[in-house]
Amino acid sequence: MIALTLAEIAAAIGGELVDGAPEQVVDGSVETDSRLVAAGSVFFALLGEETDGHRFVPNAVQAGAALVVTERAVALPDGTAAAQVVVSDGYAALAALAHEVVARVRASSADRTDEQGRPAPLRVVGITGSNGKTSTKNMLRTILEQHGATVAPQGSFNNHVGAPVSMLRVTHDTRFLVVEMGASGTGHIAKLVWIAEPDVGVVLKVGLAHAGEFGGIEATQRAKSEMVTDLPATATALLNVDDDRVASMRAITDARVVGFGTSAGADYRIAGIETDRSGTRFTLTAPPVPHEAAADHEGGTSPVPETVDVRLAILGEHHAMNASAALTVAHLWGVPLAAGAEALASMTRAERWRMELLQGGPEGVTVINDAYNASPDSMAAALRTLAQIVRPGERSVAVLGEMAELGEFSTEEHDTIGRLVVRLNIGQLVVVGPGAAPIHQAATLEGSWDGESVYIEDVDAAVHALQEMVRPGDVVLVKSSKSAELRFLGDRLGGVTE
């Protein structure tokens, strides 16, 4: 975190400084987990559903916390000391501090220039969507960190706690801030947009991920639209125009709208998508850069369309959309498409357990471990990729677990996936866990199979069954939500021991 006095922090978060000198300066990391606290850290003692962060204040102080933010004063053990600010709402205080820090860094960078004398203020992008947020964030970070100090969260730090904590890592040297914005209800994304005030707001997809919490696809669309509704006219809303629900957000934002996708109406046009075992390939064409904007582009990009061949070592045609979103944001900020594509070519995976290719298991067996998140859209995309990359003489095997958080839509959506498996002519289906059972039932009822679908109750039993079942030439997709824990099955089957 940037250096702030205790008085400045207390004022920013609307708290009362009960211990510590107002002029004391704090500039350590901001943590909500006492196990991550180091010397000089700020520890927020948050009230959770299962625990109370105030219980861990002594641990945080002993670990070296310089400041603890609490909702009630906490007595510290003898021999320990730390400044303490008491607030009425710890989550609101965390958001307020992130908002203040980002605003200060933005203001301090307003007149900054790069080595060529071009404007180089802090640029902030927010990314949301039912699928693809983390992959897009990682891709954009890979591109931007070649052009300036970049802050982006590790993993899926995208909620009301993780996103502000990530934002608080910015310093006065930060050139780019990439914020992944997830939500499990109305108002969550709007709050994150208020904190970060993005220069570009990206909406990737409106699907049924977390539909059980949102209450349906229409509610999901309203929640995702919060990314663009509060953007000012000076910002840019980057929309996936292949998704009608996303494209319709054009009508509800004051921001400049830029579209990307395969559709004819896309400003940044994707074409020629191909995917196989080696990765994913496509071309992306950018619109002409206006004369007045050309000077902001590295190398003095001329005002003509720019096309680049993109080669990803990442499986799945759906990643063409994620990569195009990342390339577009970077291009809007002056990075030539060719430079962005070169950076993306260096990525060996989008993220741990996301379409991760493993070949360290049984000889001749390829495992695709994609079991960190799952929704109807991402499950279908992964299955289509499996069907596309299997070569003649090889067998496709789908090991599928539950898609969580679908609520009343769960049975119907799992049923749809089971029927899709049959229609894609997947060679063998293994369904793991009671939450995923409708996949097996639907595949069996589809009529053309005889023993190609197997239901197994738990992960350990599935591992043993698969070790007996797989044979050289099999390509095995492992896909489920994180809660089903099939990612560990995928690791074991693929020979990963870390």
Side-chain angles (χ1 to χ4, degrees), residues 16 26 65 76 127 134 154 158 181 187 207 235 251 254 272 363 382 423 435 445 475 480 483 485 492-493:
E16 178 186 1
V26 176
L76 301 179
I127 303 170
T134 300
Q154 300 295 325
N158 62 21
M181 297 186 177
D254 293 329
E363 184 176 354
R423 292 165 189 171
L445 291 171
V475 182
S480 73
S483 58
E485 298 190 343
R492 290 166 68 180
L493 193 62

Side-chain angles (χ1 to χ4, degrees), residues 129-411:
S130 298
N131 308 109
K133 295 184 296 296
T134 300
S135 296
T136 302
K137 173 260 298 181
N138 289 340
M139 291 174 175
L140 186 53
R141 173 176 54 201
T142 298
I143 297 170
L144 294 177
E145 64 188 5
Q146 306 297 317
H147 303 273
T150 302
V151 170
Q154 300 295 325
S156 295
F157 276 49
N158 62 21
N159 65 6
H160 63 300
V161 176
V165 168
S166 297
M167 295 181 218
L168 284 163
R169 291 171 48 213
V170 299
T171 71
H172 291 293
D173 294 325
T174 301
R175 180 72 176 84
F176 305 106
L177 172 60
V178 184
V179 185
E180 183 180 340
M181 297 186 177
S184 55
T186 302
H188 294 180
I189 293 174
K191 184 69 171 181
L192 297 177
V193 170
W194 171 79
I195 297 172
E197 298 181 348
D199 299 290
V200 177
V202 181
V203 186
L204 299 168
K205 181 80 176 174
V206 173
L208 280 172
H210 312 293
E213 296 178 337
F214 284 115
I217 193 70
E218 290 79 12
T220 302
Q221 181 179 0
R222 287 193 296 272
K224 299 302 181 186
S225 69
E226 293 170 10
M227 173 61 77
V228 302
T229 50
D230 291 335
L231 291 178
T234 54
T236 299
L238 180 59
L239 306 179
N240 171 9
V241 295
D242 287 3
D243 185 316
D244 291 341
R245 294 182 183 277
V246 176
S248 70
M249 295 178 190
R250 178 185 300 270
I252 57 172
T253 184
D254 293 329
R256 167 199 179 198
V257 174
V258 173
F260 71 99
T262 62
S263 303
D267 299 291
Y268 284 75
R269 182 82 177 273
I270 305 166
I273 302 174
E274 298 178 353
T275 188
D276 58 25
R277 198 79 55 84
S278 67
T280 306
R281 298 170 298 282
F282 64 96
T283 62
L284 181 66
T285 299
V289 178
H291 284 281
E292 61 273 16
D296 293 336
H297 280 61
E298 294 187 9
T301 304
S302 62
V304 296
E306 182 182 355
T307 298
V308 66
D309 292 322
V310 183
R311 294 182 175 271
L312 306 174
I314 301 170
L315 298 179
E317 64 181 24
H318 52 294
H319 281 302
M321 298 298 294
N322 301 333
S324 296
L327 288 164
T328 299
V329 173
H331 191 258
L332 291 172
W333 289 345
V335 178
L337 290 185
E342 182 179 0
L344 291 184
S346 70
M347 295 183 69
T348 58
R349 64 186 182 191
E351 177 84 348
R352 184 82 165 94
W353 298 308
R354 286 179 168 87
M355 296 302 287
E356 187 174 11
L357 194 66
L358 307 175
Q359 294 179 302
E363 184 176 354
V365 175
T366 298
V367 176
I368 305 168
N369 195 352
D370 191 28
Y372 191 83
N373 276 325
S375 69
D377 288 329
S378 69
M379 185 78 83
L383 286 167
R384 284 193 293 268
T385 298
L386 174 62
Q388 288 172 337
I389 68 173
V390 171
R391 300 164 182 158
E394 296 178 333
R395 181 178 64 157
S396 54
V397 180
V399 183
L400 307 182
E402 182 180 14
M403 299 179 290
E405 300 177 357
L406 291 177
E408 64 181 289
F409 307 98
S410 181
T411 299

